[in-house]
Amino acid sequence: MSLKESLKQQQQALLAALDAGQRERLDTLLPELRSADIAEIIEDILDEEDDLPVALELLHCLPLERRANVLTYLPDEEQLDIAESMSDSGLLSVLEEMGSDERADLFNLLGEDRRQLLLRRMARHEREDLKRLASYEEGTAGAIMTADYVAIPVGLTVSQAMMRVRQTAPDAETVYQLYIIDHEGRLAGTMSLRQLMVAPPGARIDALMIKDVISMVVTAPQEEVARVVARYDLLALPVVDAEQKLVGIVTHDDAMDVAESEATEDIHKGMSIGQLEGGVSRVPLWSLYRKRVTWLVLLVFANLFSGAGIAYFEETIAAQVALVFFLPLLIGSGGNAGAQAATLMVRGMATGDVGIKDWGKLLGRELLVAGSLGLTMALAVAPIGVMRGGEAVAMVVAMSMVIIVLFGSLLGMCLPFLLDRLGWDPATASAPLVTTLIDASGVLIYFSIATAVLTGL
Amino acid sequence: MSLKESLKQQQQALLAALDAGQRERLDTLLPELRSADIAEIIEDILDEEDDLPVALELLHCLPLERRANVLTYLPDEEQLDIAESMSDSGLLSVLEEMGSDERADLFNLLGEDRRQLLLRRMARHEREDLKRLASYEEGTAGAIMTADYVAIPVGLTVSQAMMRVRQTAPDAETVYQLYIIDHEGRLAGTMSLRQLMVAPPGARIDALMIKDVISMVVTAPQEEVARVVARYDLLALPVVDAEQKLVGIVTHDDAMDVAESEATEDIHKGMSIGQLEGGVSRVPLWSLYRKRVTWLVLLVFANLFSGAGIAYFEETIAAQVALVFFLPLLIGSGGNAGAQAATLMVRGMATGDVGIKDWGKLLGRELLVAGSLGLTMALAVAPIGVMRGGEAVAMVVAMSMVIIVLFGSLLGMCLPFLLDRLGWDPATASAPLVTTLIDASGVLIYFSIATAVLTGL
C-alpha cells in the first residue's frame, strides 16, 4: 500500500470515528497519525464542511504539545479561525508549546487587542522574545528564523559543550549544528554534533570550531536564505543582526518551505498573477479576482496598439482579406517563442544560473536558436501560404514568421534583463506581457512586409 | 560585506593566483573556500574560457577528499569532461572518496568501456554496491538515494547503538537519523540521534524506536520523495525495496535539489519547453532548439484553426474591416485569462494543494472569478468599441470579451484535469497550448457574434 493510500484510509477512519462520536476510537487512531496529516484533515473539515466546532473537537482530543504542533501545519487563515475561538488561557498554553518562529507567526495573525491581552499574561523575557521575533518584516530571514538554537559560549571543552547540548535538546529546533558565541553574543564559530561526538572530551571548542561561518543578516530576503541553504547543503543557517550578534537560525525544513512558496510565486508571476496568500482552492474569490485582474486590464489597453497597427494598415487588409487568415498564427507563434525565451531567462535568474554578466553571451545564443526556430516555423507555414494566397502571400508569411519569431524571442530574452536593470523584478516579464508586446510588434511587421511586397508586385 | 561580495572577492583572488602560477598563494586561498564556490570557479573556467588544463590544475591543488567533493558540485557535462581527462587510478581514488550516490551518478556518465575498466579494478563488494546504485532509473528514489546511512540491528541497547553511530560517523551521509533493521534487513523502525542521546544507556532500541516509519520504495518518482521530505519535515527519507528491505536514504539537501529542479522543469513545461539537462546558459544550442521547436511547430498547425475560422467569416470581415481592429485584443485577453487559470491548476496539482476531487468546487469558483474578469475587461474595452465602430460594434466586442474570457478560463482550468485523467502530465496544459486553443475558439466566438448582431441590425 502506498503512503498516499494508507494516509487516505487513516483519514477516513478518523472522520468516521469523529462523526460517530467514538471518543475512545479517536484516542487510539490519533497517536498513529502524523501532525501534518491531522492538519490536512482539519483543513478539509474547515474547508469543505465549514465546521469549526468539529475541527475544535478533534484538536481537543490531542495532547497540548501535539495540538500546538498540528496548528503550525495549518494555513494562516485556518490558524486564525481556530485561535479566535480559543480562550486566552487555552491559546496561551498552545503558544507556549510552539517553536518560537511559529509562535511569532500565529501571534502576528491576531488582532491588536488580543495581542496586547496575551502579552500582558506572559513572563517578561517571553514577552520580549516574542515581540522581537514578531517585529521582523515578512519575507525576511528574521521572519522565518527560530530562536530555539543551541548556543555554546567560547571557552568550553567538548564534554562541557556536550552537556549543554543535552540540556538544550528538549527545546531546540535542531541540536545537530551548534553555534559558538563570544562574550558579546557575536557568532564566533560553528561545529556539527557529529564533529563534537568524535572529538576528544577535554579539547577546547574554540580550537575545533569552524570560524568562517556562513551566516545572513536578519533583514536578508527569505529567498536568499533558501538559496544559500540549498547551495551549501546546510542543516541550518545562522542569522545575525547588524552587530554580528546571533539572533536565530533558519532550519532546512523551513528553507525548503520557502523555496517551494517562492517557486509557486514565480510560476504565478510568470502568468501575471499576483501573490496569493494560501492555496488556489482556498484563497477568497475576491482576492483571486484582484490578483488576476490588474494585469489583464492593463494588457487590454496594451493590446490596443495591435488594433492601432491594424487600423493603420486597413487599406492593405481590405485589398487582401486573405492576409487576416495568417494573423493569429503569426502573432501567436511569435508570442510563444518570446514567452519561452523570457521564461528561460527569468527562471535562470531566479536559480542563480543566469547573471547580468551573461547577457551578451545569451543574446548571441538566442539569436542563433531563435533564428533556427523562425526558419523552421516559416518552412512549416509556407506551403499553407501558397495554398491560401499564392506564392506572393507565402513569401510574405514566411518572411514575417522568421522576423516575428526572431524579434519576439530577442524581446522576450532581453526584457527580464532590462527590468532587472531598472530595479524591477525580472519576473514581471510574464508570458502575458511578452505575448501582448509581440502581438503589437507582430501586426506591424506582418502588414509592413505585406504592404511592401504586395504593393511592389 | 555580503556573502555574495565576499565570495566574488575570494574568487577573483583565486583566479589571479592561478593566472600568476602562485602555487603557494593557492594553497592558502583554497582552504578558505567552500566546495560549492570552488566548483563555481571551475565551471566558469570551463565555460567561459574553455580551459580544461587550468581547471585540472586547480583541482590538483586540492587534497583528494576535497577534490572529490568539489567534483560533485559540478554539472554533469563538466564532471564528465574532467573525469575523461583523468587517469584510471586518479579517477578511481576520486570515486572512492565520493558519497555512494554521487559515485553512481558520475559512473553513469562514463562510457561503457571506461565503466568496465573501472569496475574490474574495484573490490568485489564495492563493485556490487556501485552496480546496484547505478542501475536505478533516473528520476526515481533509487537514483538519488545514498547507501551511506546508519543502520542499527534490532536488539541493541542505547549505548551499543551509540557506539555504532560513532563507528559509522566518518562515512555516513547523516548520523542524525538512525534506521533500525531486522535480521532480514527490513526496515523495522527509526530513531533520531537526539532521542538516542537522552535515552537511558541500558534501554533497548526496539522499545524506544518509532515503528511506523515514513519510507518510500526505490522506484518511487523523485518528485514524490521531495514532497514527502517537505511535508513531514524530514532530515532523511529511508528507501526500501519491494521486500521492505532498507536499501538507502535520501537526505534533505538532495530532496531540496530535486524540488528545485522539478520546479524549473515545471516552469519550462508551462511554456512548452522540454526538459533541459543543465542550465540555460550552458546547454548545447542544438538541444535548446530541439526542446523548444517541437511544440512551436505543432502549435503553428493548431493555429491554422484560427485561420480556418477567419476564412469562414471572410465575408463578415470584408464587410466590416474595423472588426479586425479588436481581433488581437480579444483573443489575446482570452488567452491571458486562460493561461492564468491553467497555471493556477497545474501548480496547485504539483504542490498537492489541488486534487482531482476538488474539480467541481474549483469549476464553480472559476466560473465566478472568470465571469467577473470578463465583465471588467468588457467594460474597459466597450468605450473603445464605441469610438472605433459605433454602438453595435461596441456591443459585439463587449459580448465577445465576456464569452471569450469565460470560455478561455474554463478551458484553461479544465484542461489540466482532463490531461491528468487521460494519464498525461497536467503540465502539458502549457500557456502556449492554452492560448492557441483559445485563439481558435475566440475567432469563432467573435465573428459568430459579429455576424449575428451586425447582420441582424
Side-chain angles (χ1 to χ4, degrees):
Chain A
M1 196 161 53
S2 82
L3 209 63
K4 234 185 201 159
E5 285 161 348
S6 76
L7 174 60
K8 208 162 188 178
Q9 254 183 30
Q10 285 177 313
Q11 291 184 336
Q12 277 163 352
L14 190 71
L15 283 175
L18 205 60
D19 271 349
Q22 297 166 309
R23 180 66 201 248
E24 267 173 49
R25 177 118 178 81
L26 281 179
D27 288 343
T28 48
L29 280 171
L30 281 171
E32 288 171 13
L33 278 157
R34 282 167 249 277
S35 300
D37 299 332
I38 301 178
E40 191 177 285
I41 297 174
I42 291 180
E43 220 179 305
D44 283 348
I45 293 174
L46 288 175
D47 200 35
E48 271 154 39
E49 303 166 30
D50 204 17
D51 201 343
L52 189 58
V54 172
L56 289 173
E57 193 194 323
L58 183 55
L59 269 177
H60 277 97
C61 296
L62 296 167
L64 188 60
E65 197 189 329
R66 200 79 195 290
R67 196 183 308 159
N69 202 235
V70 167
L71 262 178
T72 63
Y73 280 97
L74 286 171
D76 287 357
E77 213 189 321
E78 279 78 1
Q79 274 194 51
L80 181 59
D81 284 350
I82 289 169
E84 279 179 343
S85 69
M86 280 177 162
S87 68
D88 282 349
S89 56
L91 184 53
L92 261 177
S93 46
V94 161
L95 282 172
E96 262 163 36
E97 290 293 328
M98 285 184 172
S100 62
D101 46 347
E102 287 133 355
R103 187 188 306 148
D105 288 343
L106 175 51
F107 182 77
N108 271 339
L109 296 174
L110 301 171
E112 184 57 29
D113 292 352
R114 191 88 195 267
R115 278 191 278 184
Q116 291 309 327
L117 240 122
L118 291 171
L119 281 178
R120 244 174 277 147
R121 294 181 59 171
M122 284 178 188
R124 174 141 183 248
H125 78 276
E126 267 184 358
R127 186 166 57 221
E128 296 307 315
D129 267 9
L130 178 56
K131 274 163 82 174
R132 187 172 57 81
L133 271 179
S135 70
Y136 296 111
E137 209 182 322
E138 226 182 296
T140 63
I144 53 168
M145 73 188 187
T146 171
D148 309 324
Y149 51 85
V150 183
I152 309 273
V154 280
L156 295 198
T157 63
V158 167
S159 61
Q160 285 170 324
M162 196 58 112
M163 196 115 79
R164 282 272 179 151
V165 173
R166 277 181 222 273
Q167 284 163 358
T168 337
D171 291 321
E173 196 96 348
T174 181
V175 296
Y176 303 134
Q177 196 70 34
L178 324 176
Y179 301 97
I180 294 95
I181 50 173
D182 68 13
H183 307 298
E184 269 86 46
R186 281 186 305 242
L187 182 61
T190 186
M191 199 170 170
S192 70
L193 181 59
R194 188 202 293 225
Q195 289 168 295
L196 193 70
M197 283 173 65
V198 294
R204 278 169 59 97
I205 292 288
D206 334 16
L208 298 167
M209 69 187 186
I210 296 168
K211 293 200 180 74
D212 178 25
V213 195
I214 303 176
S215 67
M216 292 200 102
V217 286
V218 79
T219 50
Q222 61 173 12
E223 59 265 37
E224 198 79 5
V225 173
R227 215 174 298 147
V228 168
V229 169
R231 178 180 174 103
Y232 299 107
D233 297 336
L234 302 178
L235 208 56
L237 176 75
V239 179
V240 295
D241 66 9
E243 279 94 47
Q244 280 291 108
K245 281 190 188 141
L246 183 62
V247 288
I249 61 169
V250 177
T251 50
H252 65 94
D253 49 327
D254 291 334
M256 198 167 178
D257 290 344
V258 167
E260 189 191 289
S261 70
E262 289 288 333
T264 299
E265 206 186 309
D266 286 351
I267 288 174
H268 288 172
K269 241 186 209 159
M271 292 302 153
S272 298
I273 304 166
Q275 196 183 342
L276 297 176
E277 309 288 346
V280 63
S281 58
R282 265 181 307 278
V283 83
L285 285 181
W286 165 242
S287 143
L288 199 55
Y289 167 82
R290 247 176 344 122
K291 299 296 180 175
R292 290 172 65 179
V293 78
T294 321
W295 272 99
L296 286 180
V297 169
L298 279 179
L299 292 175
V300 164
F301 291 108
N303 245 318
L304 288 176
F305 287 103
S306 310
I310 289 170
Y312 181 80
F313 287 106
E314 210 160 81
E315 268 177 52
T316 309
I317 299 170
Q320 187 105 23
V321 178
L323 285 176
V324 183
F325 183 94
F326 295 98
L327 181 62
L329 188 156
L330 287 171
I331 62 180
S333 299
N336 290 343
Q340 286 188 342
T343 301
L344 286 170
M345 291 308 120
V346 171
R347 180 62 183 167
M349 289 164 98
T351 56
D353 172 46
V354 168
I356 280 279
K357 67 173 168 52
D358 303 318
W359 184 80
K361 181 186 155 205
L362 286 163
L363 184 71
R365 286 170 61 94
E366 186 62 31
L367 209 62
L368 286 172
V369 172
S372 318
L373 290 173
L375 280 174
T376 314
M377 292 156 88
L379 283 176
V381 84
I384 303 150
V386 177
M387 274 158 50
R388 285 290 311 172
E391 276 176 33
V393 168
M395 206 174 86
V396 169
V397 171
M399 276 173 61
S400 304
M401 183 64 103
V402 175
I403 298 178
I404 292 174
V405 168
L406 195 60
F407 174 81
S409 300
L410 294 180
L411 179 81
M413 196 228 110
C414 295
L415 198 58
F417 287 98
L418 186 72
L419 290 167
D420 191 59
R421 206 60 198 270
L422 297 173
W424 286 49
D425 183 348
T428 313
S430 62
L433 177 62
V434 169
T435 53
T436 302
L437 293 177
I438 295 171
D439 278 0
S441 344
V443 164
L444 292 182
I445 293 171
Y446 178 37
F447 290 124
S448 300
I449 294 178
T451 309
V453 172
L454 300 179
T455 321
L457 289 178
Chain B
M1 196 162 51
S2 81
L3 209 61
K4 234 184 200 160
E5 285 161 349
S6 76
L7 174 60
K8 207 160 187 181
Q9 255 182 30
Q10 285 177 313
Q11 291 183 336
Q12 278 164 352
L14 190 70
L15 283 175
L18 206 59
D19 271 350
Q22 297 166 310
R23 181 66 202 250
E24 266 173 50
R25 177 117 177 82
L26 281 180
D27 289 343
T28 46
L29 280 172
L30 281 172
E32 286 172 15
L33 279 157
R34 283 166 248 277
S35 300
D37 299 332
I38 300 178
E40 191 177 286
I41 297 174
I42 291 180
E43 221 180 303
D44 283 347
I45 293 173
L46 288 175
D47 199 36
E48 272 154 38
E49 301 166 31
D50 203 18
D51 202 341
L52 190 58
V54 172
L56 289 172
E57 193 194 323
L58 183 55
L59 269 177
H60 277 96
C61 297
L62 295 167
L64 189 59
E65 196 189 329
R66 200 76 195 292
R67 196 182 307 160
N69 202 235
V70 167
L71 262 178
T72 64
Y73 279 99
L74 285 172
D76 286 358
E77 212 189 321
E78 280 78 2
Q79 275 195 47
L80 181 59
D81 284 349
I82 290 169
E84 279 179 341
S85 68
M86 280 178 162
S87 68
D88 282 348
S89 55
L91 183 53
L92 261 177
S93 47
V94 160
L95 282 172
E96 263 162 36
E97 289 293 328
M98 283 184 173
S100 63
D101 47 345
E102 286 132 356
R103 186 187 307 148
D105 288 344
L106 176 51
F107 182 76
N108 271 338
L109 295 174
L110 300 171
E112 183 56 30
D113 292 351
R114 190 88 196 266
R115 277 191 278 183
Q116 290 308 327
L117 240 121
L118 291 172
L119 282 178
R120 244 174 278 148
R121 295 181 59 170
M122 284 181 190
R124 176 144 179 244
H125 79 275
E126 264 184 359
R127 185 165 57 219
E128 295 307 315
D129 266 9
L130 178 56
K131 274 163 83 175
R132 188 172 57 81
L133 271 179
S135 71
Y136 296 110
E137 208 182 321
E138 225 181 297
T140 64
I144 53 168
M145 72 187 188
T146 171
D148 309 325
Y149 50 85
V150 182
I152 308 274
V154 279
L156 295 198
T157 63
V158 166
S159 62
Q160 285 169 324
M162 196 57 114
M163 197 114 79
R164 283 269 179 154
V165 173
R166 276 181 223 272
Q167 284 164 357
T168 338
D171 291 321
E173 195 95 348
T174 180
V175 296
Y176 303 135
Q177 195 70 34
L178 325 176
Y179 301 97
I180 294 96
I181 51 174
D182 68 12
H183 307 297
E184 269 85 47
R186 281 186 305 243
L187 183 60
T190 187
M191 201 169 167
S192 70
L193 180 59
R194 188 203 292 226
Q195 289 168 297
L196 194 70
M197 282 174 65
V198 295
R204 278 169 58 97
I205 292 289
D206 335 16
L208 297 167
M209 69 186 185
I210 295 169
K211 293 199 179 75
D212 178 26
V213 195
I214 303 176
S215 68
M216 292 199 103
V217 287
V218 79
T219 52
Q222 62 173 11
E223 59 265 37
E224 197 80 5
V225 173
R227 215 175 297 147
V228 168
V229 170
R231 180 181 172 101
Y232 298 107
D233 297 337
L234 302 178
L235 208 57
L237 177 75
V239 179
V240 294
D241 67 9
E243 279 95 47
Q244 279 293 108
K245 279 188 189 145
L246 183 64
V247 289
I249 61 169
V250 177
T251 49
H252 65 94
D253 49 327
D254 291 334
M256 197 167 177
D257 291 344
V258 167
E260 188 190 289
S261 69
E262 289 289 334
T264 299
E265 206 187 310
D266 286 352
I267 288 174
H268 288 171
K269 241 185 208 159
M271 291 302 153
S272 298
I273 305 166
Q275 197 184 338
L276 298 175
E277 310 288 347
V280 63
S281 58
R282 264 181 306 278
V283 83
L285 285 181
W286 165 242
S287 142
L288 198 56
Y289 167 82
R290 249 180 338 126
K291 299 296 181 176
R292 289 173 64 180
V293 80
T294 321
W295 272 99
L296 286 181
V297 170
L298 280 178
L299 292 175
V300 164
F301 291 108
N303 245 318
L304 288 177
F305 287 103
S306 309
I310 289 170
Y312 182 80
F313 287 105
E314 210 160 79
E315 267 176 53
T316 310
I317 299 169
Q320 187 104 27
V321 178
L323 286 176
V324 183
F325 182 93
F326 295 98
L327 182 62
L329 189 156
L330 287 171
I331 61 180
S333 299
N336 290 343
Q340 286 188 342
T343 301
L344 285 169
M345 292 307 120
V346 171
R347 181 61 183 168
M349 289 163 98
T351 56
D353 173 45
V354 167
I356 279 280
K357 67 174 168 53
D358 303 319
W359 183 78
K361 182 187 154 207
L362 286 163
L363 184 70
R365 286 169 61 94
E366 185 63 31
L367 210 63
L368 286 172
V369 172
S372 318
L373 290 173
L375 280 174
T376 314
M377 292 156 89
L379 283 176
V381 83
I384 303 150
V386 177
M387 273 159 50
R388 287 289 312 171
E391 277 175 33
V393 168
M395 206 175 84
V396 169
V397 171
M399 276 174 62
S400 304
M401 182 65 101
V402 175
I403 297 178
I404 292 173
V405 167
L406 195 59
F407 174 82
S409 301
L410 294 181
L411 178 81
M413 196 228 110
C414 294
L415 198 59
F417 287 97
L418 186 72
L419 289 167
D420 191 60
R421 206 60 197 272
L422 297 173
W424 285 49
D425 184 347
T428 313
S430 62
L433 177 61
V434 168
T435 53
T436 303
L437 293 177
I438 295 172
D439 277 0
S441 344
V443 164
L444 292 183
I445 294 171
Y446 177 37
F447 290 125
S448 300
I449 294 178
T451 310
V453 172
L454 300 179
T455 322
L457 287 177

